[in-house]
Amino acid sequence: MGLVEIFADETYPDTTRGTLLRVATIAVFKTHLRKATEQLRQIRGLTAKRRLPALLEYLASAPMLGVIGETDMSLADNGLDGRDLYEDVGTIARRDNFWSQSIAYCVAFHLRFAIEEGWHINQVRVYYDPKDLKTAHRANFHTSLQMTLSRLSARLSRQLDMPKCQVDVSRVREIQKNDANESLRLGVWCAHSVLRMPDSLDPEDLPANFRMLDFSDWIAGLLRKKPTPFIRKR
């Protein structure tokens, strides 16, 4: 049993498919991340041309799991400039809502993925790159994600006869030189770098320890069910 850290980041790549939101998450046991810090620091210091191939080669052989989730936000009712109303947190900008839901879906799937891969987990910490959200929305996003993962952990513990995971969600700022938390910042950097992989690789070319998913229909369907609590009750 151990502590697993999940690092998340997002991007809005230019595509011909519409307005695409791409989220990547990287999961790793804390003990391994500490050991990997020096190697990740060296890879990050490579030239841009060498950096991604070197990182991809490293991640393919490392005891890590990766998930890339994509959401076509053009499926939203009334466009992306609207706002969604919830009974518990008020209005949320549509783009922020897609961002929150996409991060939550990706992290939740990643927890299931790790457990199904045989990882023995007793604690999960989720770190993500900061985003300009309203303070109330940010707090509710933290609570919602923790509740979602806690419910998923409880369900998986019953299905797989394993202890329930403790869940915590935190923000990580940009990597700063000689920072005491450099390993955490390098974890978020890995997720940020992984976001570029689909631009140069087909899904079947991704490492065996990666999964690529499309959340478009799930999230668009969820947003059509308003008004519902942003924080879903038990």
Side-chain angles (χ1 to χ4, degrees):
M1 305 296 288
L3 166 59
V4 166
E5 294 175 323
I6 298 180
F7 301 94
D9 198 17
E10 90 292 330
T11 189
Y12 299 86
D14 293 329
T15 72
T16 58
R17 292 173 46 192
T19 305
L20 188 68
L21 168 60
R22 180 181 295 154
V23 175
T25 50
I26 296 287
V28 57
F29 280 100
K30 182 177 181 178
T31 51
H32 176 76
L33 183 62
R34 286 175 175 172
K35 298 175 182 177
T37 297
E38 178 58 33
Q39 191 162 0
L40 289 173
R41 186 190 300 121
Q42 292 177 7
I43 294 173
R44 187 172 183 267
L46 295 175
T47 62
K49 184 176 181 179
R50 298 173 54 200
R51 189 182 305 132
L52 184 58
L55 179 62
L56 183 59
E57 181 180 2
Y58 173 75
L59 293 177
S61 60
M64 299 181 180
L65 297 175
V67 174
I68 300 172
E70 294 189 339
T71 303
D72 184 352
M73 298 188 296
S74 67
L75 298 179
D77 292 343
N78 302 320
L80 282 174
D81 296 328
R83 301 180 67 81
D84 297 317
L85 175 64
Y86 291 92
E87 62 186 40
D88 51 355
V89 297
T91 59
I92 298 175
R94 179 67 54 79
R95 286 181 179 272
D96 285 347
N97 203 357
F98 263 108
W99 179 87
S100 298
Q101 303 291 358
S102 296
I103 291 282
Y105 264 94
C106 204
V107 173
F109 177 84
H110 211 141
L111 177 58
R112 175 182 288 275
F113 178 28
I115 292 173
E116 290 177 346
E117 285 292 304
W119 286 25
H120 299 288
I121 306 168
N122 60 9
Q123 188 175 3
V124 176
R125 290 180 182 165
V126 180
Y127 300 93
Y128 66 95
D129 207 16
K131 184 178 184 293
D132 292 331
L133 299 173
K134 288 184 177 179
T135 302
H137 184 188
R138 184 181 297 121
N140 280 290
F141 168 68
H142 279 222
T143 303
S144 179
L145 182 56
Q146 289 184 191
M147 289 175 61
T148 298
L149 294 177
S150 294
R151 287 196 297 268
L152 176 60
S153 172
R155 186 163 66 248
L156 291 174
S157 70
R158 293 191 297 269
Q159 294 173 351
L160 304 177
D161 191 24
M162 56 164 283
K164 180 182 177 181
C165 300
Q166 177 184 343
V167 178
D168 182 61
V169 181
S170 302
R171 293 190 303 154
V172 178
R173 297 188 181 278
E174 293 296 327
I175 301 172
Q176 297 179 8
K177 191 174 182 179
N178 300 323
D179 194 300
N181 293 323
E182 184 181 14
S183 63
L184 299 181
R185 302 179 195 282
L186 284 169
V188 173
W189 172 77
C190 282
H192 174 77
S193 300
V194 163
L195 288 169
R196 297 176 56 192
M197 290 184 181
D199 292 332
S200 57
L201 296 172
D202 292 326
E204 58 269 20
D205 294 328
L206 290 172
N209 53 340
F210 276 70
R211 297 290 183 272
M212 192 166 183
L213 303 169
D214 190 324
F215 298 136
S216 302
D217 290 339
W218 295 343
I219 296 178
L222 179 66
L223 297 189
R224 292 190 189 106
K225 295 179 180 179
K226 307 183 298 297
T228 57
F230 182 75
I231 300 178
R232 294 186 173 279
K233 305 298 189 294
R234 290 183 181 275

